[in-house]
Amino acid sequence: MDPQADQLAFGQRLQILRTRRGLTRDQLGGLVGRSGSWVKGLETGRLKVPKLDTILALAEVLRGRNLAELTGDQGLHIDLFAGPGHPRLAAVKAAVDAWPLATAQEVPSTTHIRARLTRAWRTRHSAPNHREAIGALLPDLIRDAQIAVRQANTSADRRAAQASLAEVYSLTQFFVAYQPDAALLWRVAERGLVAAQESEDPYAIGVAAWLSTQAHRDTGPAHYDAADAVNLATLEYLQPLLEDSSPEVLAIAGALTFEAGYTAARRGETGVAWRHWETAGAMANGLPDGFYDPITSFSRPIMSAHAVTIAVELRHGGESVRQAVAAEAMAIPSRPRRARHRIEEARGYQIAGQPDVALATLEKAHEAAPETIRYNGYAKRIVLEEADSKAPARRQRASALAVKIGLLAA
């Protein structure tokens, strides 16, 4: 059955999407503060369609592509966890899909490609329109990195070229994430894993696994085991290397350790989630002063942001606010990562019943990086919910933000 079919009732759509995500009725009910029997009542039609705030809470858990998928109302055809599609997506997709098996073109050296990658990461972290900035760079970078692998003359050169290609795919995955092309996202993630394995570079392997873990986890509860499998296998591979490794390898091991906690928090495993967070924090403290990984953002300061995320994913409103207040003074050098942290804080304030603070925090996220909030389903859920608020001032504020991020027409 297709949830887009017009004849389906709300309850039927809800059951289809819940089943696709691998959730029981009790699990879905618990994630939105209700019971399994309440979910059954909605699915069987015994209960009426709930209010918008509840629909948005269900959409968040089910990670539907848009509200129409759940409601059937094409007037609510609003993209949530899949963004609207960036204007440069087609060009990036074409570059990924092209496969230059034979070419007479001579490409820059691996050293030159790595220098371009370094500039691209700096651009991503500093630009408020970071998707536009890296979207303009990616097509040529993807093509050149692919050809560099083909033209490598020695085994060492080929491994170095594969490491660069893996990193190009990592940058590409940041661009493709939350856009309406799940197949492209998985193609990029899988190619990144293959290139990293071929490179035999521990850092490249760790980064590719870090991104693959996120892709699995964001697909839904049915994929949490796959996320853990990739994550924990990579940590096991890295463990013997850590004693004499570079800060970069230590950082990717720390980032993977936190990801294990993130997945545990999604499962509702409080003790496991915080234990992984504490272990990752100890690893961050072992990094050199001022170290900040350009891909994962793993560092000492980021652990405060990670604490907010753990509390939010566990749906602990009071703890989310406490962690948000504790993290307020930290400095995150990356604009998109700073915006993402603000969105996590806003989720915490919303859970804690502080919608005005949540909206103010989302406004800060928009100031830091408009393209981050535009493609974030959690932020859009909060804005849409408060745009329907009974409080006139809050409704007006949310509506103004909805216009800024493209949810409502001006």
Side-chain angles (χ1 to χ4, degrees):
M1 296 176 70
D2 182 1
Q4 295 288 5
D6 292 339
Q7 71 272 18
L8 292 182
F10 175 85
Q12 292 173 302
R13 296 171 187 277
L14 179 63
Q15 183 174 4
I16 292 167
L17 294 173
R18 174 182 62 78
T19 303
R20 285 184 180 178
R21 290 300 177 199
L23 290 169
T24 66
R25 286 169 171 162
D26 286 337
Q27 288 171 331
L28 176 58
L31 289 170
V32 296
R34 301 297 185 97
S35 65
S37 61
W38 175 81
V39 175
K40 182 179 180 180
L42 289 179
E43 291 182 348
T44 59
R46 180 173 56 83
L47 297 178
K48 294 189 297 184
V49 176
K51 295 181 179 179
L52 179 60
D53 59 342
T54 304
I55 292 174
L56 287 165
L58 290 167
E60 177 180 330
V61 172
L62 296 170
R63 297 188 67 83
R65 290 169 294 181
N66 55 68
L67 284 186
E69 192 173 35
L70 182 57
T71 65
D73 182 355
Q74 294 305 312
L76 289 175
H77 191 86
I78 299 170
D79 290 324
L80 287 172
F81 290 91
H86 194 279
R88 294 192 181 273
L89 179 61
V92 172
K93 181 179 186 300
V96 172
D97 290 343
W99 198 239
L101 292 176
T103 179
Q105 176 185 349
E106 186 173 349
V107 298
S109 66
T110 299
T111 301
H112 188 268
I113 291 174
R114 295 211 64 82
R116 288 162 62 188
L117 268 169
T118 299
R119 289 195 298 271
W121 287 114
R122 287 175 181 166
T123 298
R124 179 181 182 273
H125 291 308
S126 61
N129 58 335
H130 52 93
R131 286 182 186 271
E132 172 65 23
I134 65 171
L137 300 173
L138 278 172
D140 287 343
L141 198 51
I142 293 168
R143 182 198 65 232
D144 288 352
Q146 288 175 340
I147 297 174
V149 172
R150 298 290 302 168
Q151 293 185 353
N153 293 319
T154 67
S155 297
D157 288 344
R158 181 175 290 275
R159 287 195 297 271
Q162 291 281 20
S164 295
L165 179 60
E167 190 169 325
V168 169
Y169 283 135
S170 297
L171 183 64
T172 305
Q173 190 167 337
F174 275 95
F175 176 84
V176 172
Y178 304 116
Q179 297 202 50
D181 195 334
L184 177 62
L185 173 68
W186 280 108
R187 196 149 63 249
V188 169
E190 289 168 359
R191 287 186 184 178
L193 279 173
V194 172
Q197 289 173 334
E198 292 293 327
S199 77
E200 301 180 12
D201 182 295
Y203 179 72
I205 291 170
V207 168
W210 179 77
L211 286 165
S212 178
T213 295
Q214 294 183 7
H216 280 294
R217 185 179 59 236
D218 287 347
T219 302
H223 296 261
Y224 289 171
D225 287 347
D228 277 339
V230 173
N231 198 349
L232 299 179
T234 308
L235 280 170
E236 184 178 359
Y237 158 75
L238 291 173
Q239 190 61 43
L241 310 176
L242 296 182
E243 186 173 350
D244 299 316
S245 65
S246 66
E248 289 75 17
V249 174
L250 288 172
I252 192 57
L256 285 163
T257 301
F258 167 71
E259 290 300 318
Y262 194 157
T263 305
R266 280 272 177 94
R267 284 194 172 104
E269 299 170 348
T270 302
V272 176
W274 285 114
R275 186 166 66 250
H276 282 304
W277 176 81
E278 289 174 356
T279 302
M283 298 170 81
N285 288 334
L287 295 170
D289 291 342
F291 180 90
Y292 188 89
D293 186 79
I295 301 179
T296 66
S297 294
F298 193 76
S299 57
R300 293 178 192 172
I302 210 66
M303 293 311 301
S304 295
H306 284 338
V308 175
T309 296
I310 292 291
V312 167
E313 292 294 342
L314 290 169
R315 314 292 293 184
H316 295 167
E319 181 64 16
S320 298
V321 170
R322 191 182 75 80
Q323 293 294 348
V325 172
E328 186 62 31
M330 71 173 181
I332 300 178
S334 167
R335 292 185 72 136
R337 187 61 184 87
R338 192 158 65 245
R340 170 66 188 278
H341 170 57
R342 291 298 188 190
I343 292 168
E344 294 294 280
E345 287 184 319
R347 292 178 67 198
Y349 286 119
Q350 188 79 351
I351 293 169
Q354 301 182 38
D356 290 311
V357 184
L359 285 175
T361 307
L362 288 180
E363 289 169 346
K364 292 179 181 179
H366 188 267
E367 290 172 8
E371 285 193 338
T372 295
I373 190 171
R374 179 176 174 81
Y375 288 85
N376 188 282
Y378 299 117
K380 288 189 281 188
R381 176 213 155 178
I382 294 171
V383 171
L384 283 171
E385 183 174 329
E386 297 311 324
D388 197 47
S389 170
K390 293 180 180 179
R394 187 184 307 149
R395 185 170 63 246
Q396 184 177 6
R397 188 175 193 175
S399 297
L401 186 54
V403 170
K404 286 182 181 180
I405 65 178
L407 280 174
L408 298 175

